[in-house]
Amino acid sequence: EDDTRLFCLRTKTDDYEIDILDISSDETKTINNDYNANTIKYIYFSQDCKIGETEIDQYSCRKFTSNSIEVKNTSDKVLRVFLISR
């Protein structure tokens, strides 16, 4: 077994977009809310991480309402961030 995980997004409509960002272990990246013109945005985190001082659990999904966030990968694996919007 290679510890592979599969992420699948199924929606009733086809107006959703997915962008992907990889963050290496112990690395921090800024994600800006204006990365696209869509107004409804969610973020799915594939590993444990932190946004500021808030700890985010692996496989969490959060609504993206801030202008920007600093995401720090606190796991020992690459954090794949799925940016889901419509």
Side-chain angles (χ1 to χ4, degrees), residues 3-5 43-50 55-62 73-80:
D3 202 30
T4 299
R5 301 287 191 267
I43 304 178
Y44 175 85
F45 302 95
S46 69
Q47 300 294 334
D48 291 336
C49 60
K50 288 177 99 173
E55 294 185 14
I56 308 296
D57 291 331
Q58 182 181 34
Y59 308 133
S60 293
C61 186
R62 303 282 178 102
N73 183 356
T74 57
S75 75
D76 60 351
K77 297 179 181 175
V78 172
L79 165 63
R80 179 153 279 188

Side-chain angles (χ1 to χ4, degrees), residues 14-30:
D14 62 356
D15 59 346
Y16 283 84
E17 293 180 36
I18 296 181
D19 294 287
I20 297 171
L21 174 66
D22 288 335
I23 303 175
S24 298
S25 182
D26 204 39
E27 183 179 8
T28 301
K29 288 200 177 175
T30 301

Side-chain angles (χ1 to χ4, degrees), residues 7 9 17-21 23 29-35 40-47 49 51 56-71 79-85:
F7 177 82
L9 177 68
E17 293 180 36
I18 296 181
D19 294 287
I20 297 171
L21 174 66
I23 303 175
K29 288 200 177 175
T30 301
I31 303 173
N32 293 313
N33 196 309
D34 63 357
Y35 68 89
I40 300 172
K41 298 178 181 173
Y42 290 88
I43 304 178
Y44 175 85
F45 302 95
S46 69
Q47 300 294 334
C49 60
I51 297 175
I56 308 296
D57 291 331
Q58 182 181 34
Y59 308 133
S60 293
C61 186
R62 303 282 178 102
K63 190 167 187 177
F64 191 177
T65 58
S66 301
N67 289 333
S68 69
I69 55 174
E70 298 279 326
V71 179
L79 165 63
R80 179 153 279 188
V81 178
F82 295 88
L83 305 160
I84 305 157
S85 64

